Amino acid sequence: MNTVSTPSETKPAAERKRPSSGPAAPSSGLVLAFAALLLPFVIYFETASSIAAIWERSGTFAHGYVILPISLWLIWQRRTTLRTLPLQPYLPALAALAVCGAGWLLAELGEVQIVRQYAFAAMLPLTVLALFGVQVAKAIAFPLFFVLFGVPVGESLIDPLIQVTASFTVDALRMTGIPVLREGNNFSIPSGDWSVVEACSGLRYLISSITLGCLYAYLTYRSFLRRALFVLASMLVPIAANGARAYMIVMIGHMSGMTMAVGVDHLIYGWAFFGLVMLLLFWVGSFWRQDQEAAAPAPDAAAPRSARMVPAARMAGVALGLLLAIGVWPAYAYYLQHGQGKAPVAALSGFQPAVAAADSFTDWKPGINEANAHLSRSYSVAGQPLGFELFYFRQQHEGSKLISSSNRLVGDDKSPWHDMGASVRSEGIGGRQLAVRESILNGPRERRLLVWQWYWIDGQNTVSNFGGKLLQVKQKLLKGRDDGAIVLLYAPYEENPDAARAAMRQFLATGLAPLETVLVSNLKP
């Protein structure tokens, strides 16, 4: 008996099972994963806001506004590949997130803002890894890494860059045949006086060049070696270019009789020169460019969409693990820091060393953050004028920190005083050694000050910023407090500072113990 097949029965099996080519609605697991991506921003909103605040107030880091949009654009460029990859949450990434959270906690207790911000930024790519898996994270590794460029970092390089720029400029002027008299970051030539200040350090050029260099290397080259070499060039070229820029500015001012390159045009010339240098760098780099390789066929492109999805229940469990891994640390930080009392300002008045008081002998004032208590006095020791400053901190926060790069002996570039450098000394005081950071300040009319500085934290003295931060973390973890003080002792001198040092030693021989007694009394509940 003959049978007749219907058209549907004669179609190949593969054709009958071909999935619909129309767009599919996102699964609930995928929606939950994208929602969980926002958890770091919600939990660490204050840290994220501190990053944006620096972008707002500092032109050096204004590029941070475009970092996340660029990262998202780079990810969007990979959307075709990403659609073919399976979602496989990677649970070991939760442990890495917990480590970042612990690092954030230690930085919060030690008031180390840069570590706090980097810990938060590192959570963003790790969150993608935890929720979407290794294959997805690997496919967009550079855009995820690029997010770290949004963290405002580099202020610690300002002083070294100033020294490099000043040395380069002075050496170049001397090679040109122009006599130069240098004192620190200030130098004089026959046509006028110049000073290499923070704006001349070239930090903006360096940060912009490294950021653009990494992006250009990713988009232009395929091999690791070429990318690494171009990034290295983007680090070295702006340093050399900034020295050349400073020399060019001085020469323009010198040749014009100090009528050009001494005002706003100073900055215009600088940025124009930097733009030209970057264009040349990219032009030279284009000779070794590598075109995009042809995309290989995506694996499992025809696999059922359900095979690439994660059930909503499993994704909810991963999101809960993410919440616990990063959420416990801010809660614990709040617990440790909650309930501190106000700094006892009046208690500092109990410091009365056995020396005669004298009127103020200088108009110099240090640029220190706002403290909870401040004591400022002048003394006379064996006929030597002496100044004493004490800044006491408690419940530290942004704008009121014991150890901060914004705490400087010279507050700003407009001050008539200049910091000529510092060194660490160990002084014998009352049968024990006291480490102090000794600085020399030059002021108007060639006046000079010798300054001794140290930190007092939880009953211990230190001159190390790193050691001080560790003491702060220990104090907060064990006692839930962050009390500390900056101590400054200073004296004027002319040629030889030995007399000033002797007077300061004599002052501390009778005053150090009473000072520490007063400070320790503030730690009592």
Side-chain angles (χ1 to χ4, degrees):
M1 182 177 175
N2 296 330
T3 60
V4 179
S5 300
T6 64
S8 62
E9 292 173 336
T10 59
K11 291 181 179 179
E15 186 176 343
R16 293 199 305 268
K17 296 179 181 180
R18 182 179 300 154
S20 172
S21 59
S27 67
S28 56
L30 185 61
V31 172
L32 185 58
F34 278 109
L37 283 175
L38 301 177
L39 282 176
F41 292 95
V42 175
I43 296 174
Y44 295 91
F45 179 77
E46 186 175 348
T47 302
S49 298
S50 70
I51 295 176
I54 296 177
W55 296 346
E56 177 67 25
R57 71 170 182 262
S58 174
T60 302
F61 305 108
H63 69 282
Y65 282 113
V66 301
I67 295 298
L68 190 57
I70 290 175
S71 294
L72 293 175
W73 175 77
L74 293 174
I75 293 173
W76 177 253
Q77 296 295 105
R78 304 282 292 168
R79 63 189 182 278
T80 302
T81 301
L82 293 176
R83 288 195 184 105
T84 67
L85 299 177
L87 298 187
Q88 298 175 340
Y90 188 64
L91 297 184
L94 297 179
L97 283 163
V99 171
C100 286
W104 179 93
L105 174 64
L106 295 177
E108 174 73 8
L109 298 181
E111 292 292 334
V112 187
Q113 179 171 261
I114 185 62
V115 176
R116 249 189 342 240
Q117 293 173 346
Y118 263 117
F120 162 73
M123 290 179 187
L124 303 182
L126 287 173
T127 299
V128 173
L129 176 62
L131 293 171
F132 295 93
V134 175
Q135 293 189 53
V136 171
K138 185 177 180 180
I140 55 175
F142 179 81
L144 296 178
F145 164 80
F146 195 68
V147 171
L148 300 180
F149 281 98
V151 178
V153 63
E155 289 187 339
S156 61
L157 297 176
I158 290 177
D159 289 338
L161 288 174
I162 286 177
Q163 296 296 327
V164 170
T165 303
S167 297
F168 185 100
T169 306
V170 169
D171 291 343
L173 288 170
R174 287 172 177 166
M175 291 177 63
T176 310
I178 300 176
V180 184
L181 177 62
R182 178 181 179 181
E183 187 174 18
N185 303 328
N186 308 300
F187 58 91
S188 300
I189 59 178
S191 59
D193 299 326
W194 296 84
S195 180
V196 181
V197 296
E198 181 176 330
C200 304
S201 66
L203 180 62
R204 290 188 185 185
Y205 305 146
L206 181 61
I207 291 176
S208 300
S209 177
I210 294 175
T211 303
L212 292 174
C214 288
L215 182 60
Y216 183 86
Y218 169 73
L219 296 174
T220 307
Y221 307 117
R222 305 276 70 78
S223 72
F224 173 80
L225 179 60
R226 294 193 186 189
R227 286 175 171 173
L229 289 176
F230 189 84
V231 171
L232 179 62
S234 70
M235 295 178 182
L236 300 179
V237 168
I239 296 176
N242 187 61
R245 176 198 65 84
Y247 168 71
M248 177 189 70
I249 293 294
V250 175
M251 287 301 296
I252 292 175
H254 177 68
M255 299 300 293
S256 65
M258 301 299 286
T259 60
M260 298 178 62
V262 293
V264 176
D265 55 342
H266 181 125
L267 300 177
I268 296 175
Y269 297 153
W271 277 109
F273 181 73
F274 172 72
L276 177 62
V277 168
M278 293 306 299
L279 285 175
L280 290 174
L281 178 63
F282 293 150
W283 177 67
V284 172
S286 67
F287 288 107
W288 293 277
R289 68 174 298 118
Q290 296 169 307
D291 294 329
Q292 288 278 357
E293 299 174 356
D300 300 328
R305 182 173 179 274
S306 59
R308 302 197 298 269
M309 294 294 103
V310 176
R314 184 185 176 193
M315 186 59 72
V318 176
L320 179 60
L322 172 65
L323 177 63
L324 294 175
I326 66 176
V328 65
W329 311 104
Y332 188 55
Y334 177 81
Y335 168 77
L336 289 175
Q337 297 176 352
H338 186 65
Q340 290 191 55
K342 294 183 178 180
V345 179
L348 297 181
S349 61
F351 176 56
Q352 294 288 354
V355 293
D359 295 333
S360 177
F361 55 87
T362 179
D363 58 355
W364 168 76
K365 294 296 180 184
I368 305 296
N369 285 330
E370 181 181 358
N372 297 88
H374 177 213
L375 186 64
S376 178
R377 289 178 177 171
S378 297
Y379 302 96
S380 177
V381 179
Q384 170 72 53
L386 202 69
F388 175 83
E389 300 275 348
L390 176 66
F391 298 85
Y392 193 94
F393 293 85
R394 175 179 285 183
Q395 291 182 325
Q396 299 176 44
H397 55 83
E398 190 63 30
S400 179
K401 293 182 180 179
L402 173 68
I403 303 176
S404 170
S405 60
S406 60
N407 287 333
R408 300 179 180 179
L409 295 181
V410 179
D412 54 55
D413 296 337
K414 297 180 181 179
S415 172
W417 292 88
H418 301 282
D419 191 343
M420 307 308 296
S423 61
V424 176
R425 293 175 59 90
S426 181
E427 296 288 344
I429 306 295
R432 62 188 174 105
Q433 295 298 117
L434 174 68
V436 298
R437 183 184 296 127
E438 181 180 270
S439 301
I440 296 176
L441 304 183
N442 276 5
R445 295 183 296 277
E446 299 185 357
R447 290 182 295 174
R448 294 182 179 181
L449 285 180
L450 187 72
V451 184
W452 284 0
Q453 175 184 358
W454 69 92
Y455 301 114
W456 179 91
I457 302 172
D458 195 26
Q460 299 185 51
N461 298 309
T462 182
V463 296
S464 168
N465 290 341
F466 180 74
K469 290 295 185 182
L470 292 180
L471 288 174
Q472 285 185 306
V473 171
K474 177 184 175 183
Q475 182 182 211
K476 283 188 177 182
L477 285 175
L478 299 181
K479 302 178 181 179
R481 308 175 69 100
D482 64 356
D483 294 49
I486 297 175
V487 185
L488 298 176
L489 193 62
Y490 55 96
Y493 76 98
E494 293 183 0
E495 297 297 332
N496 192 331
D498 288 344
R501 291 192 183 109
M504 290 194 283
R505 292 190 198 99
Q506 184 176 341
F507 174 86
L508 291 175
T510 57
L512 182 58
L515 171 63
E516 292 176 337
T517 300
V518 169
L519 293 173
V520 169
S521 68
N522 289 328
L523 296 177
K524 297 178 181 179

